[in-house]
Amino acid sequence: MADTKLYNILGVSKTASESEIKRSYHKLAKEFHPDKNPAAGDRFKEISYAYEVLSDPKKRDVYDKYGLKGLQEGGQGGGFPPDDIFGNFFSDFFGMAGSRGGRSRRARGEDTIHPLKVSLEDVYNGKTSKLQLSKNVICGHCKGIGGKAGAVVSCKDCHGQGIRISYQQIGPNMTRQFQTHCTTCQGQGETINEKDKCSKCEGKKVLNEMKILEVHIEKGMRENQKIYFRGEGDQQPDTEPGDVIIVLQLKSHDLFQRTGDDLIMKRDITLTQALCGFEFVIKHLDGRDLLVRHVAGEVIKPGDLKGIQHEGMPQYKNPFEKGNLYIKFDILFPENNFASVEQMKHLETLLPPRPPFIMPTGEDVEEVYLMEYNENERRAREEAYASDDEDHMHAGPGVQCAHQ
Ligand SMILES: [Zn+2]
Ligand SMILES: [Zn+2]
């Protein structure tokens, strides 16, 4: 992509040195500063932005490789501001860039936004998805006129404005002015005789077509990342079509959870494995089997996290660099009475000694037993307690308690 817009704005070549860029910026910034040249406020914004990018080697590199689009998308990885901060400025910027250079400024159609669900495998391996969508295209039969030549006439009711202005008296010397859509022409500002309407589009000027877009899902792309298809939005006469913007939505994965470039998974191991070592296999997103081996001796505790370097997600635009894969362990303890009393005694000789225990003496010692914990029962008691409290606060009669 040979985008040189930012270089053109500063009037330098693509190979300009840092000092050339700086000199040119200072000269232009002086000339177009809003204080000196209030009419050129937008121009100053463009110049500042161009300099901001080209004076930063990292940003300049991204721009040289991927153009303005790259800078926008870099938000996720390159330390640039995210899309939503930049969104308005960019659309302003594109609008301005389009209006200069002799091209007549046309209204721009709306962007069409499509969510696209992708799996974690898709963004790990990269994939091309075909997406079918319907869009309006200018009717080829009438070339977007809507009927035969001369058939289209300016709407009489709104004088071709598409809107009607009405006034409403809201005070002694005050009227309020408001606009309404012209109902005669549906806001189009023009009407076509029924019999003169284009037979293909019935005067609508556009036809609906199915279009297949090839969406390249690159390795490492993120949730909500946008993929732009410039000018692929709905066509309308005298309007520059907007973009089709594909917004990625990541499906959740059965095994892995993604956080940034890292992957996290949970793994249950038995107490025996936790104490005596283990090996198991992880089926990775590209189909590889990762053999995880852990030697006896280093005890794994409940909630322990261990990492495997470079087995996370590939970085966007830099897919040979990968994040890490982390495994969070939980320990499955054996069932009750898994061994005989004799075996337990033997087991105890292998385990670290118990902490010292001193038996209390006297009359105040009472032996108690542990019961099973029941979450529902406990919660019911808590709710009963809370509603008792409310009763006291309202202190009114007739507030009955469900538990009585
Ligand atoms: Zn037509
Ligand atoms: Zn009208």
Side-chain angles (χ1 to χ4, degrees), residues 113-117 222-227 245-250:
I113 295 169
H114 275 275
L116 178 65
K117 281 204 161 41
R222 305 268 180 119
E223 169 85 358
N224 289 327
Q225 187 157 354
K226 298 186 180 94
I227 301 172
I245 304 172
I246 306 295
V247 182
L248 296 187
Q249 293 186 336
L250 220 58

Side-chain angles (χ1 to χ4, degrees), residues 154-164 181-191:
S154 182
C155 174
K156 289 180 205 73
D157 290 340
C158 64
H159 309 288
Q161 297 301 303
I163 47 166
R164 286 192 243 187
H181 243 53
C182 172
T183 47
T184 314
C185 62
Q186 266 89 46
Q188 297 298 304
E190 54 188 34
T191 53

